[in-house]
Amino acid sequence: QVQLVESGGGLVQAGGSLRLSCAASGRTFSGYVMGWFRKAPGKEREFVASISWNGGTTYYVDSVKGRFTISRDNAKNTVYLQMNSLKPEDTAVYYCNRQYNMGGRASGSWGQGTQVTVSS
């Protein structure tokens, strides 16, 4: 079982940047596709970005392409999401999770997430 702890969220003005981290403990995650998801108030949780097990391939939802960058450090059991040029519509609770495949649905248990709020 892998436990996931997200951090790095906060309040930022539109156009600003944040870097989210997701630390995994327990069973190693190095062999898994990892992804970031987000849930805005009143909306379903949605996929944001994926990264392959070795970091060689990434995949993004269209709304964040060119603004967000996913990366991972398997030695540290950590996956990151660098978010630039933030928009108010990026406001959500952000979660990381293992995925069955790139861009696919989550395959593990959810952590508590980290709140990102972008003011206009």
Side-chain angles (χ1 to χ4, degrees):
Q1 187 75 7
V2 176
Q3 290 79 42
L4 302 168
V5 178
E6 301 91 346
S7 62
L11 173 62
V12 63
Q13 289 187 331
S17 298
L18 284 173
R19 189 192 193 205
L20 306 185
S21 298
C22 170
S25 61
R27 187 176 178 181
T28 182
F29 80 169
S30 63
Y32 296 97
V33 173
M34 292 295 296
W36 283 95
F37 299 77
R38 64 186 180 187
K39 187 178 187 309
K43 295 186 177 181
E44 296 288 322
R45 183 151 38 199
E46 66 170 351
F47 163 77
V48 176
S50 288
I51 189 165
S52 60
W53 70 272
N54 64 354
T57 304
T58 57
Y59 179 75
Y60 301 91
V61 67
D62 285 348
S63 59
V64 308
K65 283 181 181 177
R67 301 189 298 122
F68 290 11
T69 302
I70 188 171
S71 61
R72 68 192 294 165
D73 185 339
N74 287 340
K76 295 182 178 180
N77 270 6
T78 302
V79 62
Y80 305 96
L81 186 67
Q82 177 67 44
M83 305 187 296
N84 299 328
S85 302
L86 282 161
K87 305 176 180 179
E89 52 263 43
D90 294 318
T91 295
V93 179
Y94 283 71
Y95 304 85
C96 66
N97 210 322
R98 291 181 293 168
Q99 293 177 280
Y100 289 108
N101 47 47
M102 299 286 284
R105 62 188 181 93
S107 63
S109 300
W110 295 103
Q112 85 289 347
T114 186
Q115 176 71 49
V116 172
T117 304
V118 185
S119 63
S120 56

